[in-house]
Amino acid sequence: ALRLRLWAENVNMGIPKEPRAELVDLRVDGKRVQPVPHESREDRYFLYSFNDAPGAHKAEADVRILESGRLVTVSASWRGGQA
């Protein structure tokens, strides 16, 4: 599974308060995917579950910074299917 946390203002102990960024698009291995938002009093994140096949993989998230409207792309790469 892939978990994505976005920038947010936090109160004491890291509990998210106000969002500072929003998710625009998420791609895994070049394919657009729809992560499920999860929010509780203690945490806020997006979760995308998938079959982690062997080999190289890449996730790319397009994120908008709310204050400026600037769009940035962040990415992560990993090798899957390894126990």
Side-chain angles (χ1 to χ4, degrees), residues 20-22 24 63-72:
R20 300 291 303 269
E22 68 181 355
V24 175
V63 177
R64 179 173 292 113
I65 307 302
L66 296 176
E67 185 175 288
S68 67
R70 188 173 73 130
L71 190 64
V72 296

Side-chain angles (χ1 to χ4, degrees), residues 4-59:
L4 174 67
R5 279 196 183 103
L6 298 175
W7 181 27
E9 289 295 325
N10 295 322
V11 296
N12 294 347
M13 297 202 251
I15 296 172
K17 185 178 166 188
E18 296 297 321
R20 300 291 303 269
E22 68 181 355
L23 180 63
V24 175
D25 193 32
L26 178 63
R27 296 173 301 284
V28 175
D29 295 334
K31 297 177 185 172
R32 179 180 276 171
V33 298
Q34 293 294 318
V36 177
H38 290 266
E39 188 167 344
S40 70
R41 182 172 146 15
E42 294 84 23
D43 203 359
R44 183 184 306 137
Y45 60 92
F46 290 89
L47 187 66
Y48 177 67
S49 297
F50 61 99
N51 182 7
D52 192 20
H57 300 282
K58 185 175 185 178

